[in-house]
Amino acid sequence: MAAAGSAVGLGNIWKFPYIAGENGGGAFLIIYLVCVLLFGMPLLMTEFLIGKRSGKSAFGAFRELNGNGRWQWLSWLCMLTALLIMGFYFIVTGWCFNYLFEAVRNTFSGMSTEALTAHFSAVASDTPRMIAFSLLPMVLTAAVVWFDVNKGIERLSKILMPLLLGMMLLMVGRVLMLDGSNVGMQFFFRADFSAITPRVVMEAMGQCFFSLSIGMGALITYGAYMPKNQNVAATSVQVIVLDTLVAILAGVIIFPAVFAFGFNPAEGPQLVFVVLPAILQQMSLTWVSSVLFFALLCVAALTSTISLMEVMVAFICEASGALGQRKNGQPRRALSRQKSVMITSAVVGVLLVLCVLSMTGKADWLTIRGYNLFECFDDMTACVMMPLAALGMAVFVGWNLPKDGGRGVLNPSQGVKRWVGKAYIFALRWIVPLAIVIIFLNSLGVL
Ligand code: PHE
């Protein structure tokens, strides 16, 4: 449940609809589902197995599995990816908190489509407010990681995840009753294959990694907490099914409403923040529904940010103990968890402020080729860094582990059927690396 909590988050409810909307709807959905099938299962299992076998997070795990340190760069890549994702994810989480507070104050009542769009722009361009609202979830996340309350998260996920699903189902029911909702359903489910370009395929792959939390070591950490007799394959299937279900439900809620209310499906990152309040206004018990929905969204986001911060905190703890020696030749003592949380929060806090300044146009020098930092972090992590780390993990675990001992990682053991193990190894060695390389080359125009 904790892994599902990491996977299910803003990636499903905020990012999936807006990326699908920008990339042609139905065609994107199909490519996305293909990516989930190709990459999801082998890579989730790999991260869980690495963690379960080593009992450590990314840094310690790669070190332990292969003593010569040649693959240690993978853990640095994971940590950097976690850092950059946090650099924009907390901002979106901040939007959710902002909308939760506004739902409590009933701000959206009676707002037109145009007013909702203008409202989001006003919120997102208000620099002090954005800084405050992105630091708030960061502090909450840091508190949870500080006290190391993984059991608590698991319990929270167990209650709140079904509640979120239930709430989304109610919203689907309401949206499908809107006049003109069928146009949106067609947009989302009818594939126009002429819309598929190398760029769409790349975006779908990136979204798959981002949404499933794979390719950055978050699930290695959660694998390390797994009980020894836990079935890795079954857990992976559960996480994938739940994550994909929530993404599709989000699409089924957003797109019919987009067309019924006259929004633009290619609205970009603000899409769900203008459409969701419009839908919630149509629900019965409007105030309760709105507050409940945004509260659940905030929690879903937090269960993801916790897993992100955990990656960096664990990295700092493990790396600080392993790198270098003191002057007197003694090994360095690892930093405490609390110190790591403080360092992580300080770095992420600075990054968030820079990212907000770059988004609100307060600092032109903080843009790269016309893109603000938010867009850069988002794109770079999902489309480049996570697939790269996944490629590294697939090659490392599939091909490079020493035969003795190390290869044992490939043995999912406990309760997994033989053919599942065989299919897993084949997918990890051939399908995953080849598919990632082909998609990269394709998007670079080489193929
Ligand atoms: N999977 C999360 C989401 O969909 C985001 C995330 C990515 C969390 C990577 C942890 C690691 O929102």
Side-chain angles (χ1 to χ4, degrees), residues 6-12 85 89 209-214 216 218 243 304 307-308 386:
S6 163
V8 175
L10 298 176
N12 312 57
I85 294 181
Y89 203 97
F209 285 102
F210 183 77
S211 186
L212 290 173
S213 308
I214 46 184
M216 54 153 292
D243 189 75
S304 298
S307 71
L308 281 161
M386 297 171 98

Side-chain angles (χ1 to χ4, degrees), residues 57-72:
S57 294
F59 185 89
F62 286 116
R63 182 160 274 241
E64 174 154 326
L65 292 180
N66 185 349
N68 66 22
R70 238 183 283 143
W71 290 83
Q72 199 70 65

Side-chain angles (χ1 to χ4, degrees), residues 87-330:
F88 74 90
Y89 203 97
F90 279 121
I91 294 179
V92 187
T93 313
W95 293 343
C96 298
F97 273 89
N98 181 86
Y99 271 61
L100 170 61
F101 287 132
E102 290 185 322
V104 171
R105 298 207 323 263
N106 213 358
T107 313
F108 305 117
S109 145
M111 275 197 188
S112 65
T113 309
E114 293 77 29
L116 285 169
T117 312
H119 181 76
F120 180 84
S121 306
V123 169
S125 55
D126 181 341
T127 309
R129 184 184 180 123
M130 276 303 51
I131 292 179
F133 269 102
S134 23
L135 292 180
L136 169 70
M138 190 196 80
V139 171
L140 290 176
T141 305
V144 175
V145 179
W146 177 288
F147 292 111
D148 202 2
V149 283
N150 284 289
K151 276 273 166 290
I153 303 163
E154 198 165 350
R155 252 176 253 138
L156 203 68
S157 299
K158 260 185 199 156
I159 304 168
L160 294 179
M161 197 93 76
L163 216 58
L164 178 66
L165 268 177
M167 184 73 207
M168 289 180 83
L169 283 174
L170 285 180
M171 291 168 81
V172 169
R174 181 65 192 91
V175 159
L176 292 183
M177 283 175 348
L178 292 171
D179 277 343
S181 63
N182 55 339
V183 186
M185 289 301 265
Q186 278 175 11
F187 175 81
F188 189 43
F189 286 114
R190 191 175 286 168
D192 164 15
F193 286 99
S194 66
I196 296 177
T197 59
R199 177 78 204 166
V200 175
V201 179
M202 178 97 161
E203 295 258 4
M205 171 176 72
Q207 174 60 18
C208 162
F209 285 102
F210 183 77
S211 186
L212 290 173
S213 308
I214 46 184
M216 54 153 292
L219 301 178
I220 296 185
T221 309
Y222 283 9
Y225 289 115
M226 262 187 190
K228 280 281 166 275
N229 60 358
Q230 177 130 348
N231 182 331
V232 173
T235 308
S236 304
V237 172
Q238 286 159 6
V239 173
I240 291 171
V241 169
L242 198 64
D243 189 75
T244 309
L245 190 70
V246 175
I248 291 178
L249 273 182
V252 174
I253 292 172
I254 296 294
F255 290 115
V258 162
F259 288 93
F261 294 139
F263 290 106
N264 170 13
E267 189 97 34
Q270 77 246 41
L271 180 70
V272 304
F273 288 97
V274 295
V275 179
L276 283 172
I279 300 171
L280 289 162
Q281 288 307 308
Q282 307 282 326
M283 305 278 292
S284 40
L285 295 173
T286 306
W287 187 85
V288 178
S289 306
S290 309
V291 172
L292 184 64
F293 179 79
F294 281 114
L296 290 170
L297 192 59
C298 288
V299 176
L302 287 178
T303 52
S304 298
T305 55
I306 290 163
S307 71
L308 281 161
M309 190 176 277
E310 181 71 46
V311 169
M312 191 161 168
V313 168
F315 180 91
I316 295 178
C317 286
E318 287 177 355
S320 61
L323 290 180
Q325 293 179 335
R326 290 187 198 188
K327 283 204 190 82
N328 60 11
Q330 294 286 317

